Amino acid sequence: MENYLLDTDFIKIQETLDKSGSIIITTHTNPDGDAIGASLAMFLYLSKRGFMVHVVIPDLYPEFLAWMPGAKEIMIFEQHPLECKQLVKEADLIICVDFNNLKRLNELGDEFRRSDAAKILIDHHLNPSDEFSLKISFNKISSTSELIYDFICESGYKSLIDKHIAECLYTGIATDTGSFSYSCNYVKTYLITAELFRLGIDGEHIHRLIYDTYSESRLRLLGYAVSGGLRVLPGYHAAYIVLTKEDLERFNYQVGDTEGVVNYALSIRDINLAALFMERDGQVKVSFRSKGSFSVDRLAREHFGGGGHRNASGANCNESLDVTISRFLDLLPSFGEDLIHVYND
Ligand code: 5GP
Ligand code: MN
């Protein structure tokens, strides 16, 4: 068995799964390629095993993921609350992938909290909450999609991984590693990716579907974000991008349009901490990215009520845009050396 699975509830999860009549797979708000890839791979796998299974998620996924096998069957709580509530009522098992706290599901999370169904977590974020009955939580891995690959293989069903499931898993691995540029210093990630190619996926085509399908307004929004929207603070080794509600309206913002934008602020030499502040629906969505040892998981958790990974985290803040940005700026002096020497570990 993959060693890390031995330290989790893997065996108990198999037993729970075998007893389940109606299963929901769910993931976090503002879902990305790994969230949707891991959910759909699990959905296709369990469907092939004959389980009654639905994917129910809080809000819409980006259009650039709509081609994914099974995507059309995803139920979106924001669009169909009554149908989703009914599915939650009928479910006796809820499989939670690619997030670690039901808070991240907003109102759908409340529905799950009220449900008596067993809740299983399969995830690669730090610091999972204790709301889950059983857990596979492991963070030294590229993505939740890679975890799902191991999960299926260790369950004895490697032969069920077909081209469609491989496309979902590859999308999750490729997007969560920034097309194999971070969180991917693991031999295993490449061996698994090679297996997925053996199953016939077309990696170049998938790349085009995800990254070469921008609308003109999305590209212009990116252009604005990295020019007018960008502030650089070389003294603190930090940079941040601000997108107000008006900016987003001006560029006809659609779900997913700011995916990856924060990384441009981090691409500047000697900038080790980057942030994106985005004013949305009365909240401020914050994304943090860092290089090396500086932990933005800690920054997001301790000061913004969010979380994530060491080098990529996020939060949703209820204060105004100005107050949220000030909170960030006020913290910078306290980081001192931590933001200078980030490659000492
Ligand atoms: P992004 O900035 O791309 O939205 O998210 C970066 C990472 O942080 C992802 O792994 C995402 O799951 C996590 N993340 C984003 N927003 C939140 C949040 O509000 N709370 C927590 N705990 N994690 C978040
Ligand atoms: Mn992920």
Side-chain angles (χ1 to χ4, degrees):
M1 184 187 283
E2 284 295 338
N3 274 342
Y4 73 89
L5 288 175
L6 273 177
D7 298 331
T8 71
D9 295 324
F10 179 78
I11 303 286
K12 284 187 191 149
I13 289 174
Q14 302 298 323
E15 292 161 9
T16 305
L17 195 55
D18 287 340
K19 295 191 300 229
S20 296
S22 180
I23 303 171
I24 284 179
I25 298 166
T26 192
T27 191
H28 58 82
T29 53
N30 210 13
D32 55 16
D34 189 33
I36 299 296
S39 299
L40 288 176
M42 197 67 175
F43 167 70
L44 296 171
Y45 157 66
L46 291 178
S47 299
K48 277 179 105 167
R49 283 192 55 192
F51 287 103
M52 168 129 84
V53 52
H54 293 92
V55 182
V56 179
I57 66 174
D59 58 359
L60 192 61
Y61 53 81
E63 184 59 30
F64 61 77
L65 300 176
W67 60 272
M68 292 179 72
K72 299 284 172 294
E73 291 178 61
I74 295 177
M75 294 289 295
I76 297 166
F77 183 78
E78 240 176 42
Q79 295 178 343
H80 304 283
L82 295 179
E83 289 93 326
C84 290
K85 280 182 189 181
Q86 188 55 35
L87 289 173
V88 176
K89 237 183 231 151
E90 290 161 9
D92 50 17
L93 175 62
I94 300 167
I95 303 178
C96 302
V97 304
D98 200 42
F99 68 97
N100 59 6
N101 191 319
L102 289 178
K103 265 197 323 205
R104 295 213 55 212
L105 274 52
N106 297 343
E107 226 185 295
L108 180 58
D110 298 335
E111 292 297 324
F112 290 151
R113 264 190 216 104
R114 282 194 280 271
S115 157
D116 291 331
K119 285 154 208 127
I120 291 178
L121 179 72
I122 305 182
D123 178 50
H124 70 133
H125 292 86
L126 299 161
N127 304 304
S129 76
D130 52 18
E131 307 158 289
F132 306 97
S133 355
L134 297 168
K135 275 184 221 165
I136 296 177
S137 172
F138 183 71
N139 59 62
K140 292 186 175 53
I141 195 162
S142 68
S143 55
T144 301
S145 294
E146 185 177 334
L147 254 174
I148 299 285
Y149 179 90
D150 287 340
F151 179 86
I152 298 173
C153 293
E154 292 302 334
S155 304
Y157 289 98
K158 185 173 177 182
S159 61
L160 291 188
I161 303 181
D162 57 16
K163 187 177 167 191
H164 279 164
I165 295 178
E167 286 172 337
C168 295
L169 295 173
Y170 178 77
T171 298
I173 295 172
T175 56
D176 247 29
T177 58
S179 301
F180 301 91
S181 53
Y182 46 78
S183 311
C184 56
N185 271 345
Y186 309 108
V187 171
K188 191 165 76 68
T189 304
Y190 297 91
L191 294 174
I192 289 173
T193 302
E195 288 294 320
L196 301 179
F197 275 89
R198 236 194 279 278
L199 288 162
I201 65 164
D202 182 342
E204 295 176 13
H205 183 58
I206 291 175
H207 187 95
R208 284 196 300 277
L209 289 170
I210 297 172
Y211 295 107
D212 295 344
T213 48
Y214 276 44
S215 63
E216 179 184 338
S217 57
R218 179 178 176 186
L219 189 64
R220 292 192 186 282
L221 174 62
L222 170 62
Y224 170 75
V226 298
S227 55
L230 176 69
R231 320 264 188 281
V232 184
L233 305 168
Y236 291 120
H237 299 269
Y240 65 101
I241 292 171
V242 181
L243 294 174
T244 64
K245 194 164 164 284
E246 291 73 33
D247 295 331
L248 295 171
E249 276 165 13
R250 186 150 51 98
F251 292 102
N252 187 28
Y253 170 82
Q254 303 293 311
V255 171
D257 278 359
T258 53
E259 203 67 39
V261 167
V262 63
N263 296 308
Y264 288 95
L266 196 67
S267 68
I268 303 170
R269 188 193 303 126
D270 291 334
I271 293 300
N272 297 326
L273 168 63
L276 167 69
F277 299 94
M278 205 172 128
E279 201 178 19
R280 258 185 77 190
D281 311 328
Q283 277 198 323
V284 180
K285 182 175 158 32
V286 189
S287 288
F288 293 114
R289 298 291 185 273
S290 66
K291 290 176 186 156
S293 56
F294 188 85
S295 170
V296 285
D297 166 60
R298 211 174 131 193
L299 169 64
R301 218 160 10 92
E302 292 182 355
H303 301 284
F304 296 88
H309 309 284
R310 185 177 70 172
N311 297 125
S313 70
N316 277 291
C317 303
N318 293 319
E319 294 171 317
S320 71
L321 186 61
D322 286 346
V323 170
T324 309
I325 295 171
S326 296
R327 182 186 295 280
F328 172 71
L329 295 178
D330 290 347
L331 285 166
L332 293 178
S334 68
F335 297 140
E337 294 282 302
D338 292 351
L339 262 183
I340 303 172
H341 305 292
V342 293
Y343 286 111
N344 282 347
D345 61 346

